[in-house]
Structure formats: C-alpha cells, structure tokens
Amino acid sequence: MEAVTVAAEAREQLRASFSSGRTRPAAWRAAQLRGLLRMAAEMEAEICAALRADLAKPRTESYVHEISLVTSSCKFALKNLEKWMKPEKLRLSLMAFLKHLLAVDPVIGAIAAGNAVVLKPSEIAPATSTLLADLLPRYVDSSCIKVVEGGIPETTALLEQKWDKIFYTGNSKVGRIVMSFAAKHLTPVVLELGGKCPVVVDSNVDLHVTAKRIAAGKWGCNNGQACISPDYIITTKSFAPKMLDSLRKVLDKFYGKDPLRSADLSRIVNSNHFNRLKALMDEEMVSDKIVFGGQSDEQQLKIAPTLLLDAPLDSAIMKEEIFGPLLPIITVDKIHESFALINSMTKPLAAYLFSKDSKLKHLFERNVSAGGMIFNDTGIHLTNQHLPFGGVGESGMGAYHGTFSFDSFAHRKAVLDRSFLGEAKARYPPYTLGKLKILKGVLKGNPLAMVQAALGCTGGA
Amino acid sequence: MGSVSAPEEMALGFGGLVGDLTEVYESGRTRDLEWRLSQLRGLVRLLEEKEEDIFDVLREDLGKHRGESFRDEVGVLKKSVVDKLQNLKNWAAPEKATQAHTPLVAFPATALVVPEPLGVVLIFSCWNLPLGLALEPLSGALAAGNAVVVKPSELAPSTSAFLAANLPKYLDAKAVKVVEGGAEVGEKLMEHRWDKVLFTGSSRVGSLIMTKAAKHLTPVALELGSKCPCIVDWLDSNRDSQSTLKRFFTKPEYMARILNEKHFKRLSDLLADKRVAASVVHGGHFNPKTLSVEPTLLLNPPLDSDIMTEEIFGPLLPIITVKKIEDSIRFLKSKPKPLAIYAFTRNEKLKSRIIEETSSGSVTFNDAIVQYGLDSIPFGGVGHSGFGQYHGKYSFDMFSHKKAVLKRSFLIEFMFRYPPWDDSKIGMLRRVYRFDYISLFFALIGLRR
C-alpha cells in the first residue's frame, strides 16, 4: 500500500475509535498500561536481542535504560492514574514519533491521558522498529494504538494528516520540519531534541567518582548516542591533566585495553553515523588533539571511547552535537569562564556541573539555561518520575515523564459551573456610573459593594 | 525609548531591537524578583492613573461603554496583576520534587523544579479586547522575568498608540518595547528568533506565525477563538431572551460598535444569503454611518450557510433548535473544537455529558464570558481554537521554563552502576528498580546472587 493511504487509514481508524469514547474510561487506560508492563516483562529477551542487533547494546544497558524505565513509568502511571484523571483533564488523539529505541515512555503518558496513538519508531534502528510493530498489537488495544513503520516518505505522509498532538524525539533539523507541517493544521507539538550537553568540572571534586559518573553517562549509555550524553567537558587548565588521567584509568577498567572488542560497549548505529563521527575526528585542526582512544573498526561499526584536548571552538566537533563516543575537553583559566562559553552556544537539553562549591552551584543554576541540570552526576534525572524532562530553546519544547507525560497529552479544560442565583445587575447594560462603582468595589473585594451586587443594586443612575 | 518608530526599525528589519533586548535579558536584570515586582507595580499604576485615557481610547476604537471597558479590561486586569504581585514569590521559588522515586543508583539526591525565564518573548494582541489581550500576557511574561515586545493590533489604533506612549513611562523601557504596525511589521518581527511567541487572532494568521516560528524552533501559543456554542436547555419565564435584549440595550451607546467598515461589511454579508435573512426573528438593522449593528437573533438558519460555518465575531446570534437537548451534544461533536462551550441548564446529567463527551477550551454553565475574569482557571483553546493557556499562574507558566535540577553528593557510590557488566550486577539493578533493598543488601554482601 502507498504510504499516504496507510497514513490516512491509520488516522481514520484511530479517529473512529477515539470518537466512540473507548479510550476514555480509566479501565481501558489501565488495561493498556498493564499490557505494556506485561510486554516489558515477557519480552525482555526479545527486546534485548533487537537492541543488540541495532546497536550491539550490552544487556545491562538495555535493562537499565529501556526495560526498567518503561516498567517504572507504567507502574507510576498506573498508581497515579485515578489522581491525574480526577480534576477533569481532557484527552486528545495524537501521534507519537520516536527516534530512539524503546522510548515507549511518551506512549505511556498518551495512553494514561486517554488518547488514541500512532507510534512511528525510528527507521534507523530497524530491528527495534520491527519488534515494536510485532509486539505492541499483541499487548495493547490495536484499534486505538498503532505502529506505522517506515522512513521519510511514510513519515511525511503521516505528518500531512491532522493530529491533535505530535511528539517527536530526534534532531533539530527534523524538529523544524515537523513543526512546520504541524503549523498547517494548528497542531501543538512536543519536540525532544538534543544539543551539546556540557559537563563543567571544578578542581575541588572527588576525581575518581567524577570520572566514573561522566564515563557511565557518556559511554555507558549507547556509547554516547543519547540526547543527554555529556557532549564536552570544560575544566581549568591546571586540572585538565588530572581529569584526563582519571578518565583513562576508568575507561581501562570499564572496557579493557582493547575497547573495540569489549562486549560492554555499544556500536555506532549505522555507517552514515560511523562516517560522520570519523569525519569529526579526522578534521585537520582536530586530529592532532586526540589524547586517548581514536581507534575504530568499520566492519563492526565500532569506535573506541576517545578524548580530545582543546579542540578549536570553531571546529565541527565543537559546533555540532557529537552523538557518539568522542569527548572533547576544553580548558579555561578560571572555572567561572565556563558560563560564558556555554551561553555562547545554543541551550542544551542537559547541563552538568561537578563541584563542591555551593556558591558556584548556585551561580550555575541561575546563569545557565538548559532543559535540565544535574550537580555531581550525569543522565540520571531521567529516572525521576517527578522531574519534567524536556528541552528549551534549540533543545526543544514541551516536557514529559511521569505526571508531566500525562499533562503533555491532556488538555486541561476549564470548567465553571454557576448557579442561576446571585445575579449582579451591575454586570449588565444599560451601564451607569453607579453600576461602574459597584463593579470597581467588587473587583477590589470591597464588602459593601459585594453586598450591593448580591442584592442586585444598580447604584442609582 | 520603549516604543520604536515602525518605519525606521522596519527598514532595519528589527535586528537592532532584538539585539538590544537580548543584551538587556542577558545582563540578568529582568531575573531579579524585585525587578519583576516593580514592573507589575508599574502596570497597576498605569491602570489606576490612566483609567480615563483608557476609557477614551476604547471608546474611540470600539465605541465601548466605560462600564463594559471597566468590567472586561481595566477591572479584570488590575485584579489579575495584583494577584500576581501577591503570589509571585511563591511561583518563582524552586519546587521540591518528591524524592521517593529516584532509584537507589541516584541516592542521595535532591530534586528540584526551578522556573526560569525563557528570554526575549513576543506578544501579538488582538483588537476586540485590545488592552486586556496585550497586558494580561505581558504581566505574565514580566512576572516570569522576560524581556518583552508587544505588538498591539493595528485595528485598534488608539489603544495601540496609547500602549506605545505609556508602557515605556510605567515600565522598564529598556526591557519592554511596543512595536506598532500591521501585518508586514508582524511578518518582519517573525523573521527573528524569539524564546516564545503568543499570538491572539485568526487561525489563518496563527498558522502563518507557527510556520515562521518553526524555522527558529520558537515555541508558540495560539489563542484563536472559533464558533462558541451556547446550549440553552431551559429559560425562566420572566427571563425570556427577547425581552432581556430589549431591557439591556435601550440606547445605542450601551453597545460597542463594529470595529471597522470591513468587519461591518463582513457581518452584513452574512445576512445577504436569503435563507439566512428569512431566519431573522429579532433586530437585523444595520447603520453604515455609525457602524452599529442591532443585536440580532436568527432562528434555525441553514447549517451550511456562512453564518453557521464561520466565526461570527459580532452581534448576530443564531439559535439552532434540536428535538432533544441531548442532540446538541452530537451537533457540537460534528464541529471543530471551540474556545468555549456555554450551557444553560439545571440538568446535572446533561452537564456531565457535556464535560465528558465534548471538547473545548472551557465549559461554563449558566453564564457566559465570566470564565475570562477568573485567575484560578486556565484560559486557552484546544484543536482549532488554538493551544497554550494563560491567566493567573498559567500566565506565569506560559513564559517560564521548568528546569529540572538534581543535586547529588560525591559520597555514596554503587559499583553495580558501572561496566564491565556481569549477571550479578544485572541482578542487583533489578532489585534496585523494584525498590527491593533488603534482598539487594544480601546480594551486596554476597549471600545471594
């Protein structure tokens, strides 16, 4: 079937199911969430296998970043569903767009809010996409939740339809395209984009802990291919050698002497991205800045954890989002200079600061704008269901996770129920000076005016 | 100068304006709570000291009576700004997120949601409430600590000139600018990157604004309005609607006139359709000289006529009758989602069916328009009537970014967070995510795998 027909049919079917009111009862929503939970539990091995096929992702990483997150999100939504639904929040039907792997997370919010959903998994991870298309209909109501697979033509066909909300995770170039399609139908969008997430390292830190936490966030999560991966480090000139040394030790311990052979390191998702990353390393003004790593294996699509010292700020590696295992370290004379450096770039999805100096932390919180911020760790704000997760500026708009996922897919309808009593004549024409006086009194909270209004006085001519 | 002479900046494409505001924002001065409060106080002073001038410009633009002007513009606004003054400190404070659900791998940690200003924002207002639709969002944007450009509607020229002349006097003229002009000015403004744009107006222009915003990934809020239906289930015998109209509008000056000739012609064209003209049961008189249109009631005009498919935005009110009042719900569901649904009824079951089964920005029972004046409920559309909500705290939220902040210490570290991976680490992580800490403890000391 042609992409356009598929998209139009999917939308029509969902519209019909949604209009029938089937997605609204709490029982339906809870049943779908339980379906997702069962899927995560029963299909863990299949999911891990798909992720291994797409990214050579280690099983532990798959468990921590994908399965456990989906599970805890579902449980959290199930637990809070009644509470969220209570003060009339309304539902839209929508399409969610996912670039990344098993980020079924937004779908959980969409279901909890009572929507019908089309999920378009990223074509860049084909095994995961196929698995989702195969599994989801077995575990959730397929008349209301559909998976449409495909690349650019399928995506475009979907975008041409009118949706009630579009959720996209990916890069800012496609984010712009999604938003301009949405503008035609006045569809609100949530865009989860990336950006260069900075890590500022002060010299007073516990060095070994810092290095481990940076390494876990960078290479221990998709080998740097995640939107919240640390993108570059800023530290002082004098501290940089110590930082480097410590990172080297940690990397040796994590991935051994030959990281290309380590089963604990994900590979690059495809050859396009492999070549892109190679080009970043091979740029003339950059290649001699590599101080650790740099090995790659085109056959396996593997690139080793790579550290670069003081790559020029106008090089591609410092201008584009890296989205891979390369980590430049930029040095400054005083740690405070890092603020200006970060603010000279576009706003990132996350900003990290390692420091024991509470004054510096305060300044960082106040002066650095980012989707989210962590002190003394990386990436883990993702796991907290009570924190909104989303970008600002170039890193996107709208937030999700936990309660915020629900809100993101619900319309808060204002409902005002008045009785027929309590008519204040002062509201109505013909308008007089007396009525104006009473109105002024009421809006100021003047008790006499309130009594006058309640009694239906008009205040004379 | 807070206001910018349009021709001059137009030629320069507003690059200077945006640059200046960005510089002011980046200097950090708009972030200070004291600055924000002083701006809100400035707005209150403006409303108090210039009340007479405001009544005058609203009369010039719309022939609005001062009573209506006070009720819908000055009075509501002042109440809302005072409410912001009283609550701002709480709104702007970081909010502690519950710790309970951060898994042990990230223990101990403090989680906060910190509202921060977005930066430099742009507000397009509309001519029908030319003051309120500019100043209510402006108060929200200032409360949230942004630098702001207001582009008042050129269709209410006196109010636009009033804002351009007075906002700089009462507010920080370096951080708040008024740009006057029409569509071409709006278009030029949209060439730039803003941190948020709020637009109030038609869906056609709304769509254009969003398309332009997409280039810069600028988040937008659109307040679009639409055909707002009013369901009447029941009327008191002494409150028959025709006599009510007669009682209200005894003299022409009690009613606002039509904005301009274009809109006057648009409204008279709605009645040009013979089938529609035949359905007029009250009023129907148009006076082109004074641009006034009599309150007009129509009974069952054809559903495919323009008056039933386009937003009316004027004093014509069609009444559609249905056999059973419950049929009205099916009728509403067949139409695009409106900004508001009104229903006059005492039937509780009908009320809950309306809430449950229809979708709209808001639902008001047994009254009309009053929801606009409340600070406690959000005002904004859904579907065809737009998106993004404001009023009260929602105005503050509209112009804030909620930054997630997680604070960790260096102290507690768990080795099972890190590679190289093995089965026992996975086992421990499973326990962590199940919050099964007792069995985790046994696993850690090696008594269980």
Side-chain angles (χ1 to χ4, degrees), chain B residues 41-341:
Chain B
R41 277 187 224 111
L43 277 178
V44 173
R45 268 199 306 124
L46 168 79
L47 293 171
E48 281 172 354
E49 291 172 15
K50 295 284 171 186
E51 186 177 286
E52 282 305 319
D53 299 25
I54 293 172
F55 289 157
D56 287 346
V57 295
L58 291 174
R59 180 185 297 278
E60 279 162 34
D61 282 335
L62 288 155
K64 243 188 217 189
H65 190 280
R66 52 198 290 134
E68 195 178 323
S69 293
F70 182 82
R71 186 195 61 197
D72 296 344
E73 304 249 32
V74 179
V76 172
L77 262 172
K78 212 177 109 188
K79 178 176 75 78
S80 159
V81 179
V82 168
D83 175 67
K84 291 191 180 73
L85 267 169
Q86 287 165 348
N87 291 304
L88 184 57
K89 220 176 153 190
N90 289 334
W91 295 345
E95 196 183 321
K96 228 179 189 157
T98 326
Q99 181 49 49
H101 277 265
T102 304
L104 192 65
V105 276
F107 175 86
T110 316
L112 297 173
V113 178
V114 181
E116 68 176 22
L118 291 168
V120 184
V121 303
L122 173 62
I123 295 167
F124 289 96
S125 71
C126 186
W127 53 264
N128 59 334
L129 292 169
L131 196 75
L133 295 180
L135 297 191
E136 170 60 37
L138 173 64
S139 69
L142 292 172
N146 297 281
V148 191
V149 170
V150 178
K151 209 299 271 145
S153 168
E154 76 281 13
L155 298 178
S158 301
T159 313
S160 171
F162 169 82
L163 290 173
N166 286 292
L167 284 187
K169 289 188 201 148
Y170 287 87
L171 304 174
D172 179 344
K174 287 247 160 40
V176 183
K177 309 261 182 195
V178 179
V179 176
E180 293 193 74
E184 67 298 342
V185 167
E187 221 164 283
K188 276 262 161 67
L189 284 170
M190 284 309 295
E191 296 297 326
H192 295 278
R193 193 192 181 290
W194 302 92
D195 292 300
K196 181 109 188 192
V197 173
L198 168 67
F199 169 80
T200 307
S202 72
S203 33
R204 188 187 59 83
V205 181
S207 169
L208 289 177
I209 297 266
M210 188 170 169
T211 309
K212 292 213 158 209
K215 277 188 205 138
H216 298 287
L217 286 175
T218 297
V220 288
L222 304 176
E223 301 294 338
L224 304 176
S226 58
K227 294 189 81 65
C228 297
C230 176
I231 303 170
V232 180
D233 181 20
W234 158 98
L235 275 177
D236 257 346
S237 52
N238 62 352
R239 215 177 298 210
D240 172 80
S241 56
Q242 282 206 31
S243 65
T244 306
L245 278 179
K246 276 185 196 145
R247 210 164 63 220
F248 284 177
F249 301 110
T250 46
K251 287 191 214 148
E253 64 261 34
Y254 293 136
M255 242 185 87
R257 65 166 166 77
I258 306 306
L259 174 77
N260 59 24
E261 278 168 27
K262 204 177 123 201
H263 280 275
F264 185 84
K265 172 143 193 321
R266 184 182 59 78
L267 288 168
S268 57
D269 284 352
L270 288 178
L271 292 190
D273 187 333
K274 277 206 189 90
R275 299 173 302 162
V276 175
S279 68
V280 172
V281 291
H282 175 85
H285 295 292
F286 285 64
N287 185 344
K289 262 191 220 137
T290 56
L291 291 183
S292 54
V293 176
E294 203 184 351
T296 300
L297 299 176
L298 304 94
L299 190 64
N300 286 325
L303 296 181
D304 59 348
S305 58
D306 287 350
I307 198 168
M308 284 313 295
T309 51
E310 282 167 29
E311 184 177 5
I312 297 173
F313 229 73
L316 318 179
L317 183 63
I319 299 171
I320 304 295
T321 55
V322 286
K323 278 216 185 76
K324 281 186 303 184
I325 195 69
E326 285 78 10
D327 294 345
S328 58
I329 291 179
R330 192 163 340 125
F331 180 77
L332 292 187
K333 280 173 80 174
S334 69
K335 304 275 170 203
K337 297 176 181 174
L339 186 56
I341 289 178

Side-chain angles (χ1 to χ4, degrees), chain A residues 24 44 176 213 254 365-366 368-369 373 375-377 384 412-414 416 418 420 427 440, chain B residues 31 51 71 102 116 215 355-356 363 365-367 389 401 403-404 406 408 413 417 419 430:
Chain A
R24 299 199 175 186
E44 184 179 323
R176 286 175 163 84
R213 289 181 183 175
F254 281 6
E365 183 181 318
R366 196 183 144 95
V368 173
S369 183
M373 192 167 264
F375 296 127
N376 301 331
D377 212 326
N384 188 316
R412 287 174 302 206
K413 180 156 73 174
L416 185 67
R418 289 262 286 138
F420 287 98
R427 267 177 73 188
K440 281 189 182 182
Chain B
R31 284 177 173 248
E51 186 177 286
R71 186 195 61 197
T102 304
E116 68 176 22
K215 277 188 205 138
I355 296 177
E356 271 299 308
V363 179
F365 294 116
N366 305 329
D367 212 326
Q389 298 179 315
H401 162 56
K403 181 160 74 176
L406 195 65
R408 293 261 288 135
E413 277 285 276
R417 252 185 89 179
R430 272 187 213 285

Side-chain angles (χ1 to χ4, degrees), chain A residues 146-161:
Chain A
K146 289 192 180 300
V147 179
V148 174
E149 288 191 276
I152 294 171
E154 288 78 8
T155 307
T156 312
L158 283 171
L159 283 172
E160 271 161 2
Q161 302 291 319

Side-chain angles (χ1 to χ4, degrees), chain A residues 182-323:
Chain A
K184 280 186 208 149
H185 296 294
L186 296 170
T187 304
V189 291
V190 174
L191 302 176
E192 297 296 340
L193 315 172
K196 291 182 84 64
C197 301
V199 185
V200 176
V201 184
D202 197 0
S203 50
N204 58 14
V205 296
D206 290 350
L207 189 53
H208 185 56
V209 176
T210 303
K212 274 199 296 185
R213 289 181 183 175
I214 293 174
K218 177 74 176 177
W219 299 283
C221 176
N222 278 351
N223 202 8
Q225 303 169 93
C227 50
I228 50 165
S229 278
D231 191 285
Y232 63 101
I233 292 177
I234 308 176
T235 189
T236 56
K237 277 197 172 60
S238 53
F239 194 65
K242 288 181 209 153
M243 181 80 245
L244 257 175
D245 203 44
S246 185
L247 275 171
R248 269 192 203 115
K249 273 186 207 143
V250 167
L251 283 170
D252 277 349
K253 202 171 153 227
F254 281 6
Y255 304 111
K257 285 283 167 218
D258 185 1
L260 294 181
R261 293 221 180 147
S262 167
D264 295 325
L265 196 66
S266 300
R267 67 164 162 77
I268 307 306
V269 69
N270 60 25
S271 54
N272 275 349
H273 280 278
F274 180 86
N275 293 332
R276 179 183 62 80
L277 288 163
K278 280 286 285 175
L280 288 182
M281 283 198 282
D282 294 344
E283 192 181 358
E284 208 180 287
M285 54 178 151
V286 173
S287 57
D288 62 335
K289 308 290 183 196
I290 296 176
V291 288
F292 181 81
Q295 314 91 310
S296 62
D297 176 346
E298 197 168 353
Q299 214 94 77
Q300 285 191 76
L301 294 179
K302 280 208 163 181
I303 296 179
T306 299
L307 301 170
L308 303 99
L309 191 61
D310 279 323
L313 293 179
D314 57 349
S315 61
I317 200 171
M318 281 312 294
K319 296 192 105 165
E320 289 166 21
E321 184 181 356
I322 296 173
F323 219 74

